[in-house]
Each structure stands twice: as C-alpha cells, then as structure tokens.
Amino acid sequence: MDSLNSLIDGFGTALTPMNLLWAAIGVLLGTAIGVLPGIGPAMAVALLLPVTYGLDPTGAFIMFAGIYYGAMFGGSTTSILLNTPGESAAVVAAIEGNPMAKSGRGAQALAAAAIGHFAGGMIGTILLVVLAPTVASLAIGIGAPDYFAIMVLAFIAVTSVLGASRIRGIASLLIGLTIGLVGLDQMTGQQRLTFGSLHLADGVDVVIVAVGLFAIGEALWVAAHLRRSTGKPIPVGRPWLGRTDLKRTWKPWLRGPVIGFPFGAIPAGGAEIPTFLSYVTEKRLSKHRDQFGKGAIEGVAGPEAAASASAAGTLVSMLTLGLPTTAVAAVMLAAFQQYGIQPGPLLFEREPELVWGLIASLFVGMVLLLALNLPLAPVWAKLLRIPRPYLYAGILFFAAVGAYAVGGESLDLVILLVIGLIGFGMRRYGLPVLPAVIGVILGPAAEQQLRRALQISDGSVTGLVNTPFSVTVYVIVVLIVAWPLIGRLIARRRGGRNAAEESRTASGG
C-alpha cells in the first residue's frame, strides 16, 4: 500500500507541465537517435548527459527514461525495415521483422513492435513497483556458476533453433566467440588476437559487430544479387494489424515481460539474453513454426516486449543496489553521482520524490511512445519504397557513421568492412548470423563467470554445478539438446509398431 501511495505522489511529480515536456523531448530524441545504426540508448544518454546539467535531477532522469525507451524502439525500427540493428537488444527483431518488411508487411511488424514495447514496458514497470525489494534480494544470492549456466542456456537455445542445422548454428556461434576473444584478457592482461594493434586491446565493440554482420553483410549480399534481379521498391502494404495478427501476438506480448523483467533485474542481465530466449520460446509454442525465418509476427512481438520489460528490470538493481546491469544503467548511475546522489537501499527513503517521479514517468513515457510511433509505422515503412540500390547505399553510409561514432577511429571502419565480409560469407554458406552476435555479446562475460566459478572452487569442475539454480538450468540445457534425439527414437518405435501391426494384419488376412 505504501508503494501505491508513493506511486500516486510520483504521478503528481511526473505530470507537471515541465516534466511532461522533458518526457516528450526524451521520447522524440531517443526515437530519432535510435533509428541511426550504431547509436544506441547508452550512447544517446551519454551524449545528452551534458545537456541536462542545468536541469533539476527529477527532470533530468525523466528525460533519460524517455531517451532510453525511445532509443530502444528506434533501434527496432531500423532492425525491422533495413536489417540494421541500432543496438544489441534490437538484433532479434531483424530475424522475423525484416522478412515481414520484405514481403510488404513492414508496417505490421512496426506496429507489433510498438505495442510490444508498450505492453512490456507497462508490465515491467508494474513489476518494478511491486517486486523491486524481492527481486533485489534474490539477485544478491545469484553467483558466478548461475550466471555461466544462464549463458550456456542462451548459447544452446539459439544454436538449436536457428539455421538449417545445429552444426551451422554452432559454427556461427564459434565465429562470434572467436571475435569476442579479441582484446586483453580481463584477468591476466594478456593480449589475444590483437595482432599487435593497441586499438584492438579493448576488443571489438558489439555495435560494430552487429552492424557489420547485419547491415554490411546484407548490403553486400543484395549487391551481389542485383545483377540477377531488378531492384524494385518493396510494397508497404496495409498499415494496421488485422484480427489474425492480433490473435497471434497477444500471447507473446504477455509472455515477453515474464522472460524479460527477471533478466533485466539480475546483475549482468540486460535485454540480449531475454530477447533471444523469448524468440526461442515463441518458436517452440507457435502453431506457425513453418513461418519462422520467413516473417512470423510472433518473433517480433515477444522479443520486443521482453526487451522493454528488461529495461524496466534494469532499474531494480540500479535503484535498490546501486548496481548497473547495462551500459545505459551505468551512464544513468554516473548521472546520479553527478548530482551527488548515491543509488542503493536508502535511496527510496532519501530521495522519494525523484525515485517515484522517475518510476511514474516510465508509465507516461510508454503512453507517449505508443502515441508517437503507432501512427508513424506506415510512414517509417515507406522507407522501403526507395529503390534498393539507393536504400542500401544509405545503409552503408549510416552504418559507417555509426561505427565511426563508437570510438572515433578510422580503424573501426576497416574492422566494420572485415566483419561485413564475414557476414557476407555466412550468408553465402547458410550460416545463421544471430548465434555469432550472441557469441560476441555473451562470450567474454561467460568466460569471466566460468573462471570466477572455477577460482572459487579451486579449479574443481563441480563448482559449476554446486547450486540448485545452476543444476536446474543445466537440466533444461540437456533437455534442449536431447529432445530431437528422443523425438527420433519415439518416432522410430512408433514406426516399428505400425509396421509390425500391418504385417500381422496382412498375415492374418
């Protein structure tokens, strides 16, 4: 009841004319910046951090929240329409969203993403209000073995459901893990795969990898085939979701937040793992599995709802523990410290107006985001009417700008081109792109958690399975790996029984 009263007071703060204005500006700026490939929410918040020096803390953080959600949706827009993720959380949206756009259903994909963000954000923020203390206390007890088990689950789940075969999925994952090894070893400081370049000592940025594999690889692939086919504009199609679309998306919209919020709340969480797992879940539960990879709307709705709920979940550990779980949360933590405020267990007591005003502004920001982007879905989809040679030339330009903006080094453009050629080769030989991206994102973190777990257990492998949580996750991993084999055995036994019954019937006849 105290939380409800505090939230009502927070709405009193968030709905003042000035704070409403800051929320609207944040949503607009976030969406506009998120559309640019390579410039995600973290960079948007970091770039705009100096702009807020003259604002009061409450107004500044309300604006940051609008930028965060707006940039997440903007990243999904380019991911769906141009197969160019604006940030890592939008990678999954390209898998089904881009085929939908190519088949003339880009507006429907964008509408499903917008409503998914709204549903995920609303449910995630409600859970933030209700469960923040409980989730924070549970997150403290999760250790290195549990984190490593979760990441193994993500690796296995993604490689098992994507691509023409598991072997190709694993090969793609290994490519990503290899790219993730580039840089300094975080524990020993040794250089790995840097070829003597100091620029590579920090590793290859995830944004460059995602933009290279998706945008550059796709542009090169299209360019290689334009000689055989004419580059006709793609039709936009009707702008709204039909009854069939709504019937297929309402359950993913509700399932996504259940997956996304807990992963956002735990330390070392974020939107990457839950979006991957949401996609896997929707593919397993869908009645239209044959459409996955060709433009299944469930594959857009679920992951986008999970990403938005995860964004709300990240605020749990940041506000209650002072522990940032994503790059955006880290930038926001720096902003808190800029104002002399230290997030932690006492923050709700010391700064109740700021905290509850921020939480209430999340609800306001979600409504503004939906009101802004749902009518604009057909307008964004008209980008696809641009002839493909010009469209992909523009993609290459903005991809290069985004990659250069990451570090401001010309070598980043060379790395972008090399990774783009790798993406082209993967498409040529039928390797799915997503496992490589998840390998780059989660590989270094998985290695770090593995080594921590082994250090704690003095090198004993049993240290990886010494908690009930990790054991449960590994059981799920075994089931995912073994299920196709079990299914084949069951099918063979049924086939043998049917053949035996037929022979008995024939001999009896």
Side-chain angles (χ1 to χ4, degrees), residues 187-201:
M187 291 192 172
T188 65
Q190 294 293 320
Q191 292 191 12
R192 301 187 300 193
L193 303 178
T194 61
F195 305 101
S197 172
L198 291 177
H199 181 75
L200 292 175

Side-chain angles (χ1 to χ4, degrees), residues 147-159:
Y147 290 134
F148 180 70
I150 291 171
M151 292 171 188
V152 171
L153 173 61
F155 291 149
I156 297 299
V158 173
T159 55

Side-chain angles (χ1 to χ4, degrees), residues 3-316:
S3 297
L4 183 59
N5 292 331
S6 299
L7 183 62
I8 292 172
D9 293 338
F11 274 111
T13 301
L15 292 176
T16 60
M18 283 306 298
N19 287 337
L20 269 176
L21 177 63
W22 296 131
I25 291 173
V27 167
L28 283 168
L29 287 176
T31 304
I33 292 174
V35 167
L36 299 175
I39 303 180
M43 189 176 296
V45 174
L47 288 172
L48 295 171
L49 186 60
V51 178
T52 62
Y53 284 164
L55 300 180
D56 64 284
T58 304
F61 287 106
I62 286 175
M63 184 176 172
F64 284 156
I67 292 169
Y68 190 6
Y69 281 116
M72 287 186 69
F73 182 79
S76 301
T77 300
T78 52
S79 190
I80 290 169
L81 295 181
L82 307 177
N83 203 24
T84 308
E87 44 115 16
S88 57
V91 167
V92 178
I95 302 172
E96 302 300 331
N98 191 246
M100 284 184 68
K102 288 181 176 178
S103 63
R105 303 190 68 225
Q108 287 88 342
L110 290 174
I115 299 173
H117 272 288
F118 176 78
M122 284 292 184
I123 295 171
T125 308
I126 291 171
L127 292 173
L128 168 63
V129 173
V130 176
L131 301 176
T134 305
V135 173
S137 62
L138 291 174
I140 296 174
I142 295 179
D146 305 317
Y147 290 134
F148 180 70
I150 291 171
M151 292 171 188
V152 171
L153 173 61
F155 291 149
I156 297 299
V158 173
T159 55
S160 296
V161 301
L162 294 175
S165 69
R166 288 193 177 193
I167 298 298
R168 290 179 178 177
I170 292 171
S172 175
L173 177 65
L174 290 176
I175 291 173
L177 291 174
T178 303
I179 297 173
L181 287 174
V182 175
L184 295 179
D185 187 321
Q186 295 182 6
M187 291 192 172
T188 65
Q190 294 293 320
Q191 292 191 12
R192 301 187 300 193
L193 303 178
T194 61
F195 305 101
S197 172
L198 291 177
H199 181 75
L200 292 175
D202 291 332
V204 182
D205 194 276
V206 174
V207 170
I208 294 176
V209 176
V211 172
L213 289 178
F214 278 92
I216 306 298
E218 179 76 8
L220 294 176
W221 180 252
V222 170
H225 290 77
L226 276 178
R227 292 177 299 172
R228 304 176 190 173
S229 59
T230 58
K232 295 180 180 178
I234 301 170
V236 172
R238 58 183 175 81
W240 303 110
L241 294 175
R243 183 177 298 178
T244 305
D245 292 329
L246 290 172
K247 187 177 179 181
R248 291 176 59 177
T249 51
W250 73 270
K251 288 182 181 178
W253 284 332
L254 297 179
R255 279 193 291 259
V258 176
I259 298 172
F261 181 81
F263 277 93
I266 61 174
E272 291 84 9
I273 296 177
T275 52
F276 296 135
L277 294 183
S278 175
Y279 179 81
V280 172
T281 302
E282 296 308 326
K283 185 171 183 178
R284 293 288 186 189
L285 297 178
S286 176
K287 297 178 181 178
H288 308 275
R289 290 190 190 180
D290 57 318
Q291 294 184 20
F292 274 76
K294 303 173 184 176
I297 196 168
E298 301 95 327
V300 177
E304 291 300 282
S308 192
S310 175
T314 59
L315 295 177
V316 173

Side-chain angles (χ1 to χ4, degrees), residues 384-446:
L384 296 173
R385 288 183 174 174
I386 302 171
R388 281 194 291 174
Y390 305 109
L391 181 63
Y392 282 96
I395 291 173
L396 288 173
F397 172 75
F398 283 111
V401 170
Y404 185 77
V406 170
E409 296 284 344
S410 56
L411 184 60
D412 287 335
L413 299 177
V414 178
I415 296 172
L416 180 72
L417 178 59
V418 171
I419 293 177
L421 290 172
I422 293 173
F424 174 80
M426 292 173 71
R427 286 169 173 79
R428 170 65 180 82
Y429 294 102
L431 271 64
V433 175
L434 184 58
V437 177
I438 191 176
V440 176
I441 293 172
L442 299 182

